[in-house]
Amino acid sequence: MNYFAHGIRFLNRPVFLAGTAVPDWLSVADRKVRLREKHVRPAFETDDALDSELAAGILQHQSDDDWFHRSRAFYEVTSDVADLFRAHLGAEDGFRPGFLGHIATELLLDRLLIEAHPGTLERYYRALDELDPRAIQQAVNRVAPRTTERLAAFVEIFRQVRFLFDYLEPERMLLRLNQVLRRVKLNPLPASVSGVLEAAFDVLRVRGRELLPPEYFLLENSTSPISSQKESP
């Protein structure tokens, strides 16, 4: 899952919402800081409201990733999306299509939710705007095995740039995808990959409800997390 899929169910709990984003924020801002359940669980059980709520959000992120990445739908969809990249980039591209299948599926799932629930991405950012990034960083440092001085600044950039809106346009999503590739020392993708992203989005439109089954993922006042998309065959 990516930021919006992790957080969309918790827009009325800003600190919890931030917790669902913390692992992904750290993966960009300070990759050496890794939070495991054994680090976070004690904070969840404290009486400090901010620490407990933030820890609950981090644990929610970890739980989401556990079931999501083990699901049959995720395996099948990422394989299908990887095949689209492989057909476009050529077999000599090696392992990269598999990595792209994983990453693109998660970004496109955010797009699917953004389109299916108009206005919720604005609410997502408004909720995060209520928070003090320094307080979030301090709370993370109270549980992390090593501290960071980079998180607060990145949270501020995340709120200002609002790059999740870029996922709605293939060309802008490609820009963000290439940023991920640069971070992991892979070559950027050509502009023609925008067409691959649109084809991949068609795959997700069909399989969206399987990727986010109601027994794990259900939005408030909704019978389905992706209520405005086509039914699965």
Side-chain angles (χ1 to χ4, degrees), residues 73-207:
F74 179 76
Y75 173 78
E76 293 177 349
V77 170
T78 55
S79 295
D80 289 344
V81 174
D83 286 344
L84 293 173
F85 279 105
R86 190 172 291 109
H88 186 80
L89 296 170
E92 71 278 3
D93 206 61
F95 71 91
R96 187 168 66 165
F99 176 76
L100 290 170
H102 182 132
I103 298 300
T105 294
E106 296 195 339
L107 302 190
L108 289 166
L109 189 57
D110 270 9
R111 174 183 169 184
L112 197 65
L113 287 168
I114 293 165
E115 290 189 357
H117 301 281
T120 52
L121 187 54
E122 284 285 359
R123 289 179 56 203
Y124 177 90
Y125 281 112
R126 284 201 302 269
L128 292 179
D129 284 342
E130 297 179 20
L131 305 176
D132 176 1
R134 294 292 303 179
I136 298 300
Q137 177 175 286
Q138 290 164 2
V140 167
N141 283 340
R142 286 193 284 272
V143 301
R146 58 184 298 167
T147 61
T148 179
E149 296 302 321
R150 301 175 183 174
L151 179 59
F154 182 75
V155 173
E156 193 57 49
I157 292 170
F158 181 88
R159 297 192 306 188
Q160 291 177 2
V161 175
R162 293 158 65 99
F163 65 78
L164 297 184
F165 281 102
D166 291 344
Y167 295 172
L168 295 171
E169 301 177 15
E171 294 79 9
R172 300 293 298 174
M173 178 179 282
L174 178 57
L175 172 67
R176 300 305 175 183
L177 185 55
N178 277 333
Q179 289 178 335
V180 175
L181 295 181
R182 281 193 289 272
R183 284 202 301 270
V184 297
K185 306 292 193 282
L186 290 175
N187 293 329
L189 298 164
S192 59
V193 167
S194 294
V196 178
L197 293 174
E198 278 300 280
F201 190 54
D202 288 339
V203 174
L204 266 76
R205 262 198 280 252
V206 174
R207 303 292 300 273

Side-chain angles (χ1 to χ4, degrees), residues 8-12 117 123 218-224:
I8 188 175
R9 292 162 290 168
F10 311 108
L11 302 182
N12 62 338
H117 301 281
R123 289 179 56 203
L218 189 62
L219 302 182
E220 186 179 0
N221 301 321
S222 175
T223 58
S224 170

